Amino acid sequence: MATGRSGGRVRLQDVATLAGVSMKTVSNVVHDYEHVSERMRERVQAAIDELGYRPNLTARRLATGRTGMLALAIPEMDQPYFAEIARCVGEEAGRRGYRIIVEQTLNDVEAERAVIRDREEGLVDGVIFHPARIDTLEIARLRPDTPLVLLGEAARPLTTDHVMIDNVRAAREATELLLATGRRRIAFLASVRTEIAESTHLRLLGYQEAMVGADIPLDPTLVIESEGFGIDDGVRALTAALDRGLAPEAVLCRDDLFGLAAMRALSSAGLRVPEDVSVLGWDDTSLARYATPALSSVSPDKRAIATSALDLLEDRMNGYDGIGRHLLAPYTIADRGTVARLVR
Amino acid sequence: MATGRSGGRVRLQDVATLAGVSMKTVSNVVHDYEHVSERMRERVQAAIDELGYRPNLTARRLATGRTGMLALAIPEMDQPYFAEIARCVGEEAGRRGYRIIVEQTLNDVEAERAVIRDREEGLVDGVIFHPARIDTLEIARLRPDTPLVLLGEAARPLTTDHVMIDNVRAAREATELLLATGRRRIAFLASVRTEIAESTHLRLLGYQEAMVGADIPLDPTLVIESEGFGIDDGVRALTAALDRGLAPEAVLCRDDLFGLAAMRALSSAGLRVPEDVSVLGWDDTSLARYATPALSSVSPDKRAIATSALDLLEDRMNGYDGIGRHLLAPYTIADRGTVARLVR
DNA sequence: CTGAAAGCGCTAACAA
DNA sequence: TTGTTAGCGCTTTCAG
């Protein structure tokens, strides 16, 4: 049983002394170094067990210069999309021998600046960062000196590695899917008035491309405007549009939350989903999977995003110092219960 | 190779040299030590700025023995309840000057053991741990030497600090709320066949207390059994019960996911929520808030849980070494759209 | 008020 | 195969 000096921690030297060997030898068995005689190994291991020795990771870090930790900076951990990304990054990082520090920027510009400026100094080997407020220019200017990979649509400086999905193309395909089910009056929920980010813009673009491609004249009233990002904002926006006489056959939503908002507004208006109106969400979060009916949703491959980001990051950590690589992660359209062929 | 310093190659000594002072003086300035002459401070600061010096946190740690980091170990980051807890803990920890490492145990026993055994050795100042698989006995046996606070119902050894809500009482009150709306045939969704954890048990107990307290004989067919924790398991279980002729007037659910399952099963069966059947979830996660109708749910005060856990932990980190304190965090019952008075 | 030097615990050359 | 020792970058007595 471990009867270590309760209070003071057991050090490598203590083990060495007890085993009657040098620190190097102890270190060798701790690291499973091959060339250690069986007898030696046993003796040292016995001392380790007896003292209950655990290497001090901070000291190891100082000595090696590697921390074995990565930072993942996201706006909010409890937003389903980010929570799911965090899980994937965490799992994949663990597989590669890293641990992650999750940093919430809470949509604060200063917090975001801090992420790439100095928050992680000497603490982590690399940073995966999904910005929400900071833009391309500023990131390029801040030039972080810790390896960095960006996620999402908000910022993509040429100098920095970056992973996202092709939002325009995904939106186009999503719209085409809706068109293929015989729906022509497709609304977009929503263009957010206060939006700084880029994602809605790209998705709207793809939507418009598809409409134009199908020879459907763009009808600006179909692009609904919302006051904010909350579910209530979405419900209000769509309800108002419905009241105004908008009669969409489908609604393409900028995210799953607006997908739920659409379902709520439509059902209040006495419209059935998907019989009367199809609804398509975006991000394929738990929100979509657990809705009733389950919400069809554009589904970025979160595992692939995590893997790609980590690949790029490890590259940088291994010394790659070239121009930024920009990867497009795959996506699918998860077809669940809210998209159906229009029957009259 | 170039794995050396992943950040500030500028060291304290470099600043000292440039400013023509000793390391101690630079350190004093960095730490805003009071007794430094204004002239000195300016001179040093200029050097710091010129070189872009950032202290190496790992080195600081080794020297001080404090890491300024806390570990939060939870089963899965993307389960809404845990994601929300993580957010609260993260925010509150940040307020107190700590950063957190989020550790996913992914419901793996070994991973859970590692958490309290050695995963965090010398890495963090304390650990907040929500176990799922490990039990009271084992934690007591493992005796971690890093300050530890436990969350949840799975394990509560007398030796260790612990925060949870009073599940029995909350379940009793939840059931009483349902009873107060005129519902007498109240089902419980669900007792999970493979369950190891304790929470369902406690909630079921509170439910039974309330029923008995209202002089309603316990009907075992009202306690539905599910094969697993997934939404489909819940839907199947309730659907089967409904098919069997069970006609509940309300369903108390072990968590929000089963709340959604109930809503799904009931609506498939042509029953209206809450007119025909009331549904009450548990955890008050985004799942509940974003459902349509929004799911009423037992709502643990997650912010209070985070605050209490951090209080206890800081106590320990400051040397408190007494017996385990066991705190009950407050909760409310968030009354949304799925509980209503029964009208016939 | 400032400087010199001894660690913090571990790693990794270099020796033996 | 094992031992010696010089750092890693910062903090912190203890002098000056």
Side-chain angles (χ1 to χ4, degrees):
Chain A
M1 204 52 196
T3 348
R5 327 174 290 175
S6 50
R9 291 205 30 69
V10 181
R11 299 171 328 247
L12 192 60
Q13 181 60 70
D14 300 328
V15 178
T17 306
L18 178 64
V21 300
S22 79
M23 288 172 64
K24 171 63 176 169
T25 303
V26 179
S27 176
N28 278 157
V29 353
V30 167
H31 288 111
D32 276 327
Y33 182 59
E34 290 187 271
H35 307 289
V36 180
S37 68
E38 201 43 50
R39 246 185 55 225
M40 192 85 277
R41 190 183 298 281
E42 277 170 22
R43 179 141 61 102
V44 173
Q45 189 57 53
I48 289 178
D49 293 342
E50 182 174 340
L51 295 173
Y53 168 72
R54 309 270 173 226
N56 178 317
L57 301 186
T58 300
R60 179 177 292 173
R61 275 163 193 197
L62 220 215
T64 58
R66 273 196 79 247
T67 73
M69 305 232 301
L70 267 23
L72 172 67
I74 50 180
E76 299 167 274
M77 305 199 210
D78 61 345
Q79 259 186 250
Y81 177 74
F82 295 120
E84 290 169 25
I85 284 287
R87 180 196 174 127
C88 293
V89 172
E91 278 183 294
E92 183 60 24
R95 220 166 278 135
R96 301 179 188 208
Y98 297 98
R99 314 183 57 186
I100 71 171
I101 299 183
V102 181
E103 189 80 41
Q104 303 191 84
T105 59
L106 300 172
N107 290 305
D108 176 51
V109 201
E110 264 317 316
E112 294 205 343
R113 285 198 188 108
V115 165
I116 46 182
R117 197 198 302 130
D118 58 10
R119 283 288 277 160
E120 324 295 345
E121 206 58 46
L123 235 190
V124 296
D125 297 329
V127 179
I128 297 178
F129 177 29
H130 190 124
R133 289 279 176 273
I134 267 189
D135 62 14
T136 302
L137 249 62
E138 187 161 3
I139 289 190
R141 190 144 20 88
L142 254 33
R143 299 195 120 285
D145 43 24
T146 300
L148 173 69
V149 172
L150 260 19
L151 259 30
E153 294 78 43
R156 352 171 211 169
L158 288 172
T159 48
T160 309
D161 294 336
H162 177 260
V163 183
M164 62 183 271
I165 68 167
D166 186 336
N167 277 257
V168 178
R169 183 155 156 260
R172 178 155 30 81
E173 290 179 5
T175 310
E176 284 165 357
L177 172 69
L178 262 11
L179 289 166
T181 60
R183 320 259 170 175
R184 290 178 58 89
R185 292 194 53 78
I186 302 175
F188 183 86
L189 186 70
S191 149
V192 181
R193 204 187 285 284
T194 57
E195 171 133 55
I196 304 159
E198 171 92 339
S199 17
T200 308
H201 177 65
L202 297 175
R203 293 169 195 178
L204 190 49
L205 221 58
Y207 155 83
Q208 292 170 329
E209 279 185 18
M211 296 296 267
V212 170
D215 285 322
I216 301 179
L218 290 178
D219 175 355
T221 67
L222 283 170
V223 177
I224 299 169
E225 221 178 49
S226 152
E227 292 297 325
F229 293 97
I231 190 167
D232 293 334
D233 297 312
V235 172
R236 259 194 300 274
L238 182 52
T239 301
L242 258 22
D243 289 347
R244 230 179 283 126
L246 186 79
E249 295 163 333
V251 184
L252 175 65
C253 304
R254 69 170 298 282
D255 60 20
D256 284 340
L257 195 53
F258 273 18
L260 299 190
M263 290 169 72
R264 203 178 265 185
L266 291 166
S267 105
S268 297
L271 293 162
R272 294 163 308 163
V273 174
E275 293 83 352
D276 301 321
V277 185
S278 283
V279 176
L280 193 48
W282 195 297
D283 282 344
D284 192 23
T285 60
S286 55
L287 257 27
R289 296 190 291 276
Y290 298 148
T292 301
L295 178 65
S296 298
S297 187
V298 174
S299 178
D301 187 337
K302 303 186 189 88
R303 178 141 282 125
I305 291 174
T307 309
S308 300
L310 254 1
D311 285 344
L312 293 174
L313 199 58
E314 282 195 303
D315 246 33
R316 292 273 175 195
M317 298 188 303
N318 291 329
Y320 172 80
D321 196 28
I323 199 170
R325 278 93 35 102
H326 292 252
L327 263 39
L328 290 176
Y331 60 85
T332 52
I333 298 179
D335 200 357
R336 302 221 171 75
T338 58
V339 173
R341 171 154 288 284
L342 184 63
V343 287
R344 306 189 182 263
Chain B
M1 263 286 298
T3 15
R5 338 101 201 259
S6 46
R9 350 144 222 34
V10 181
R11 300 173 326 257
L12 192 58
Q13 179 61 69
D14 300 329
V15 179
T17 306
L18 177 63
V21 299
S22 80
M23 289 172 63
K24 171 65 176 166
T25 303
V26 179
S27 176
N28 280 157
V29 171
V30 168
H31 289 113
D32 275 326
Y33 182 59
E34 290 187 271
H35 307 289
V36 180
S37 66
E38 199 45 49
R39 245 187 53 224
M40 192 85 276
R41 189 184 300 282
E42 277 169 21
R43 179 140 61 103
V44 173
Q45 189 58 54
I48 289 178
D49 293 343
E50 180 174 342
L51 295 171
Y53 168 72
R54 306 274 172 220
N56 178 316
L57 301 186
T58 300
R60 177 177 291 174
R61 274 163 194 194
L62 219 215
T64 58
R66 276 195 76 251
T67 73
M69 306 232 301
L70 267 22
L72 172 67
I74 50 180
E76 299 166 275
M77 278 195 233
D78 61 344
Q79 259 187 251
Y81 176 74
F82 295 120
E84 290 169 25
I85 285 287
R87 180 196 172 127
C88 292
V89 171
E91 278 182 296
E92 183 59 25
R95 222 167 276 135
R96 300 179 189 209
Y98 296 99
R99 314 182 57 184
I100 71 171
I101 299 184
V102 181
E103 189 78 41
Q104 304 192 83
T105 60
L106 300 173
N107 290 305
D108 176 52
V109 201
E110 264 318 315
E112 294 206 342
R113 286 200 187 104
V115 165
I116 48 183
R117 198 200 301 128
D118 59 10
R119 281 290 275 162
E120 326 294 342
E121 208 59 59
L123 233 189
V124 296
D125 297 329
V127 178
I128 297 178
F129 177 29
H130 191 125
R133 290 278 176 273
I134 267 188
D135 62 13
T136 302
L137 251 61
E138 187 162 3
I139 289 189
R141 193 148 16 89
L142 255 33
R143 297 196 118 287
D145 44 23
T146 301
L148 172 70
V149 172
L150 260 19
L151 259 30
E153 295 78 41
R156 352 171 211 170
L158 289 172
T159 48
T160 309
D161 294 336
H162 177 260
V163 183
M164 62 183 271
I165 69 167
D166 186 337
N167 277 257
V168 178
R169 185 157 155 260
R172 179 156 29 81
E173 290 179 4
T175 310
E176 285 165 358
L177 171 69
L178 262 11
L179 289 166
T181 59
R183 321 258 170 175
R184 291 176 58 87
R185 292 194 53 77
I186 301 175
F188 183 86
L189 188 70
S191 149
V192 181
R193 205 188 285 283
T194 57
E195 170 132 58
I196 304 160
E198 170 93 339
S199 18
T200 309
H201 178 65
L202 298 175
R203 293 169 196 179
L204 190 48
L205 221 58
Y207 155 83
Q208 291 172 329
E209 278 185 20
M211 295 297 265
V212 169
D215 284 324
I216 301 179
L218 290 178
D219 175 354
T221 66
L222 282 170
V223 177
I224 299 170
E225 222 179 51
S226 151
E227 292 298 325
F229 292 95
I231 191 168
D232 294 334
D233 297 311
V235 172
R236 259 194 301 274
L238 182 53
T239 302
L242 257 23
D243 288 347
R244 231 179 281 126
L246 186 80
E249 295 163 334
V251 184
L252 176 63
C253 303
R254 69 170 298 282
D255 60 20
D256 284 340
L257 194 52
F258 274 17
L260 299 191
M263 290 169 71
R264 203 178 268 185
L266 291 165
S267 103
S268 299
L271 294 161
R272 294 163 308 162
V273 174
E275 294 82 351
D276 302 320
V277 185
S278 283
V279 176
L280 192 47
W282 196 297
D283 284 342
D284 191 22
T285 59
S286 55
L287 257 27
R289 297 190 289 277
Y290 298 147
T292 300
L295 179 64
S296 299
S297 187
V298 174
S299 178
D301 187 335
K302 303 186 189 90
R303 179 140 281 126
I305 291 174
T307 309
S308 299
L310 255 0
D311 285 344
L312 293 174
L313 199 58
E314 283 195 303
D315 247 33
R316 292 273 174 195
M317 298 188 304
N318 290 329
Y320 171 80
D321 196 27
I323 199 170
R325 279 95 32 105
H326 293 254
L327 263 39
L328 290 175
Y331 60 86
T332 52
I333 299 180
D335 200 357
R336 301 219 172 76
T338 59
V339 172
R341 172 154 286 284
L342 185 62
V343 287
R344 302 184 184 270

